[in-house]
Amino acid sequence: QAAAAGSMRTSAYLSNRLDLRGKTLLSFGETTDKHCECAVSVYRRDGGAWQLGLHVADVDEYACEGSPLDEEAKKRCGAIRNGFADVDMLPPSIVYDVCDLRVGKDRLAVSVFMDVSAKGALEGISFEESVIRVAEKCSYDEIEHLGGSREKSSIYALHEKYAPYINILLDMYELAAIFNKKRRERGGLDCTVFRRSFKRNENGEL
């Protein structure tokens, strides 16, 4: 079943899905070389409103309910990544191939569209089965370096890479600031994430 999933053509589903391949979708991760299962889009609307899109790889298309892959995934319950080994719910041909949202590749997805007011209030939500194409995979470290550097010449390559998406990234930053402000006003927790990386030597020592 996993081998068959790898041979399925995305083009066969175009007539039944929302075609978002012409929209700018960005994915984010710790590094740009790891697989990604989710992408984000942001569009400004009239009056300062937003449409926030979350686009998740449609695994169900390859592991339908009651199938051998579905039964095996139930046994595993989830993916395990503990620093020594990765144990995924589904075979590598699905996790790291057909459901990996690679830049420039057509992928089946489930898209969640959230209508957000200028003040950050959720006004509507809808779901669509879609076909997407990620425009760029963004690294958190690169984005942070890009925003914090005052010497453009030292990170010229980063400016070249992200130049087509600067306005979208700024929109994402602005919308995130609105959400953070609303959370603080409601007394919500500070969800700031401090990332730390650990490496092990051949003896398994940190």
Side-chain angles (χ1 to χ4, degrees):
Q1 187 183 359
S7 64
M8 294 170 65
R9 292 189 176 184
T10 303
S11 57
Y13 297 87
L14 292 180
S15 60
N16 300 320
R17 288 175 172 262
L18 180 63
D19 191 348
L20 297 175
R21 293 175 296 171
K23 303 294 185 180
T24 302
L25 276 62
L26 303 178
S27 63
F28 296 84
E30 296 290 343
T31 61
T32 58
D33 59 346
K34 291 187 177 181
H35 77 284
C36 183
E37 300 165 352
C38 178
V40 182
S41 62
V42 169
Y43 302 102
R44 283 183 179 269
R45 288 184 164 174
D46 295 338
W50 310 78
Q51 183 191 69
L52 174 62
L54 183 64
H55 314 273
V56 184
D58 192 357
V59 180
D60 182 64
E61 196 65 64
Y62 307 101
C64 56
E65 186 175 1
S67 68
L69 285 178
D70 182 45
E71 294 302 318
E72 178 65 21
K74 288 179 182 177
K75 295 178 183 177
R76 299 188 179 205
C77 298
I80 300 173
R81 296 179 175 88
N82 61 9
F84 292 100
D86 293 345
V87 181
D88 294 294
M89 288 181 67
L90 295 169
S93 60
I94 295 180
V95 176
Y96 302 105
D97 189 4
V98 295
C99 287
D100 183 8
L101 303 186
R102 299 176 185 173
V103 173
K105 297 294 185 179
D106 295 353
R107 291 291 187 258
L108 302 182
V110 174
S111 296
V112 184
F113 295 102
M114 290 156 277
D115 297 321
V116 182
S117 72
K119 294 184 178 180
L122 181 64
E123 297 182 330
I125 186 168
S126 62
F127 301 83
E128 295 281 355
E129 291 184 337
S130 60
V131 178
I132 66 173
R133 183 185 296 160
V134 172
E136 188 60 75
K137 189 168 188 178
C138 307
S139 160
Y140 292 129
D141 289 340
E142 288 181 349
I143 295 295
E144 184 176 0
H145 190 37
L146 185 67
S149 176
R150 296 182 179 179
E151 182 57 50
K152 290 187 177 181
S153 61
S154 65
I155 53 170
Y156 181 78
L158 288 183
H159 279 273
E160 287 287 298
K161 175 181 178 180
Y162 290 110
Y165 317 110
I166 289 297
N167 289 336
I168 295 175
L169 291 169
L170 290 174
D171 284 344
M172 290 181 174
Y173 184 86
E174 183 177 340
L175 185 56
I178 293 173
F179 288 154
N180 285 332
K181 182 175 182 292
K182 284 180 65 65
R183 185 170 64 242
R184 290 195 301 270
E185 290 173 349
R186 294 196 303 264
L189 296 174
D190 182 358
C191 296
T192 303
V193 176
F194 296 93
R195 300 178 186 85
R196 296 291 182 267
S197 298
F198 300 92
K199 292 184 179 180
R200 297 180 183 275
N201 60 20
E202 61 275 10
N203 298 320
E205 300 169 333
L206 287 176

